[in-house]
Structure formats: C-alpha cells, structure tokens
C-alpha cells in the first residue's frame, strides 16, 4: 500500500514553545489530508481536514489559531501546535487520501508530543 | 451524522480460539465501513473495508468481517486467534462520500492469551 510518513515520531518541548509536525505522502499525491488526535487508550478524534492550496476545515471545538495547518503541496501537510501547553500532549496522527474516487485513506505512524 | 459503536472495551480470547470484535453503525445512506488495528505507539494499519458487494469481506492477516444490514453491524472475526493479534482495534465509517474523513469508534482492546 501507499506510504505516509510523519516526522517527528517523538517530540518533547517546553511549555510556550511551538512544535511543527510534518505529514508526507511518499509515493502518491494527496489533495486531502486529515489530522487526528488520540489520547491514551482512546479513539482518534478528527481535528481538521487539510486541502492542498486552501485553508483547512476545523472540527467543532478545535482552535484553529492553536493548531495551524498548512497544506502547501500535494505531498506535504504540516500541523503546528502553537504556544504548546501540557494539555496539548497527545498522539497526533495524519492520514492522506489517495485518489478521490477510490477514497483509500493511508495513515502515518503518528507523532507523540509531550509538553513539559 | 455517521457513527459507529464498539460496545466492548476489551475482548479476551485464548490462542487458537475464534475471535469476534463487535461494531454497529448508524449512517444515512450507504455505509462505507472499515476496520483498522493499532499497536502501541504506532499508526493505524488497514485490515479491511466494506463499500458494496458481498457481505463477507476478507482482509489482512486472516481477518474477515460480515456486513449485516438488518442488524446494522460489521463485526470483525478471525477463525483462530494468535497472540500477536493482541492490539487495539478500531471500527470506522466514512463521514460522507468519497474524499471525506473516517469517524472512528472508541476502540476495542483484544487480548489473546497463550
């Protein structure tokens, strides 16, 4: 299957700093990517839909100024957690849509963010 | 809105025995249903999906799922469980048409004992 790469896999940062997480589709072009957040032993919660060349669509309750999403190319979407706080500590997973007609979604390996 | 429910937080089964992980769905229109597996600190691995066609869907690693429209269920099954099947399993439904996100159930932890 297609490969989606996330970087970094693990990141520890101080409270108040910003952290950028990258999501890349390695062998296909993805006009649409999705960002999810997962708390320990819980389900994945959709945060936002990222469309190449346009503004992201955020789910209700997700602060768009807190979680900045940029989808500047067909193979890269980034999530920046701005002014991170301990409550932002979580597992962030991206998924990329391969082919709008088939709707096959491929997931990255996730990024574990710990804010001290 | 589309949704799926996984009624069991945990399923325990002995190695070699059949396993079932339950999922029910609530959708408007045709359901597009998926099963994924997640190992600790890893992303999701695709197991199988139902879009249309045969109600019995065969997927990766010997897993299968049966789509039951009358019971609005899409239970995941495997005839003979392996210890390595122990993981967190998610049922998911597409939020809309092609190109939309997946909405996940809360997940079921499968524990296979040797």
């Amino acid at each position: 299957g297609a490969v989606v790469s996330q970087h970094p896999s693990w990141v520890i940062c101080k409270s108040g700093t910003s952290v950028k997480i990258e999501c890349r589709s390695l062998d296909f072009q993805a006009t649409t990517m999705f960002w999810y957040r997962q708390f320990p032993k819980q389900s994945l919660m959709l945060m936002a839909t990222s469309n190449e060349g346009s503004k992201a669509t955020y789910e209700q309750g997700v602060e768009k100024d807190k979680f900045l999403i940029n989808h500047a190319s067909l193979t890269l979407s980034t999530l920046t957690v701005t002014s991170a706080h301990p409550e932002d500590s979580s597992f962030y997973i991206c998924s990329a849509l391969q082919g709008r007609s088939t709707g096959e979604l491929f997931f990255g390996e996730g990024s574990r963010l710990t804010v001290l | 809105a589309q949704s799926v429910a996984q009624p069991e937080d945990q399923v325990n089964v002995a190695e070699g025995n059949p396993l079932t992980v339950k999922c029910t769905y609530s959708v408007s229109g045709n359901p597009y249903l998926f099963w994924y597996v997640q190992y600790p600190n890893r992303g999701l691995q695709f197991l199988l999906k139902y879009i249309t066609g045969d109600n019995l869907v065969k997927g990766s690693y010997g897993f299968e799922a049966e789509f039951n429209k009358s019971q609005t269920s899409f239970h995941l099954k495997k005839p003979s469980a392996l210890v390595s099947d122990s993981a967190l399993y998610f049922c998911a439904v597409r939020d809309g048409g092609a190109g939309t996100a997946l909405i996940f159930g809360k997940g079921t932890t499968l524990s296979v004992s040797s």
Side-chain angles (χ1 to χ4, degrees):
Chain A
V3 178
V4 175
S5 173
Q6 266 186 256
H7 178 82
S9 300
W10 297 80
V11 57
I12 301 173
C13 70
K14 293 182 178 180
S15 184
T17 61
S18 295
V19 174
K20 180 184 287 187
I21 301 170
E22 294 185 347
C23 178
R24 294 181 184 273
S25 55
L26 296 185
D27 50 1
F28 66 99
Q29 293 184 332
T31 56
T32 303
M33 293 184 176
F34 304 98
W35 285 96
Y36 291 86
R37 181 176 182 176
Q38 184 181 28
F39 291 102
K41 298 185 179 181
Q42 294 190 26
S43 186
L44 283 74
M45 302 302 297
L46 179 65
M47 297 175 67
T49 300
S50 171
N51 293 300
E52 187 267 338
S54 63
K55 290 183 178 180
T57 303
Y58 290 83
E59 296 298 302
Q60 190 174 8
V62 177
E63 299 176 61
K64 62 180 181 181
D65 295 330
K66 175 74 170 176
F67 299 99
L68 299 179
I69 292 174
N70 183 279
H71 194 157
S73 77
L74 287 172
T75 59
L76 174 64
S77 176
T78 60
L79 168 67
T80 301
V81 183
T82 62
S83 187
H85 288 92
E87 58 266 29
D88 299 325
S89 299
S90 194
F91 195 55
Y92 293 89
I93 302 176
C94 74
S95 66
L97 182 66
Q98 182 191 37
R100 186 163 285 274
S101 60
T102 62
E104 192 73 50
L105 271 178
F106 295 91
F107 286 81
E109 286 291 298
S111 299
R112 171 76 58 193
L113 170 63
T114 301
V115 184
L116 302 177
Chain B
Q2 323 289 53
S3 66
V4 289
Q6 294 179 245
E8 304 156 316
D9 290 335
Q10 178 141 353
V11 170
N12 300 310
V13 64
E15 187 175 33
N17 284 357
L19 70 87
T20 298
V21 183
K22 296 180 180 178
C23 174
T24 58
Y25 64 88
S26 174
V27 301
S28 55
N30 295 321
Y32 297 123
L33 299 162
F34 302 77
W35 275 103
Y36 286 84
V37 60
Q38 185 182 34
Y39 294 94
N41 293 310
R42 302 292 298 277
L44 274 67
Q45 295 180 30
F46 171 78
L47 287 178
L48 50 82
K49 66 181 177 183
Y50 173 83
I51 303 297
T52 187
D54 290 341
N55 290 340
L56 184 62
V57 179
K58 293 189 180 296
S60 306
Y61 313 118
F63 284 93
E64 59 188 30
E66 185 169 9
F67 173 70
N68 187 316
K69 188 174 183 178
S70 63
Q71 297 184 6
T72 62
S73 66
F74 189 56
H75 301 332
L76 180 71
K77 300 182 179 183
K78 187 172 182 180
S80 179
L82 300 173
V83 173
S84 58
D85 292 329
S86 299
L88 184 58
Y89 290 80
F90 289 102
C91 181
V93 62
R94 184 177 290 164
D95 195 25
T100 57
L102 295 185
I103 304 302
F104 289 87
K106 66 178 181 178
T108 299
T109 298
L110 173 65
S111 178
V112 181
S113 57
S114 57

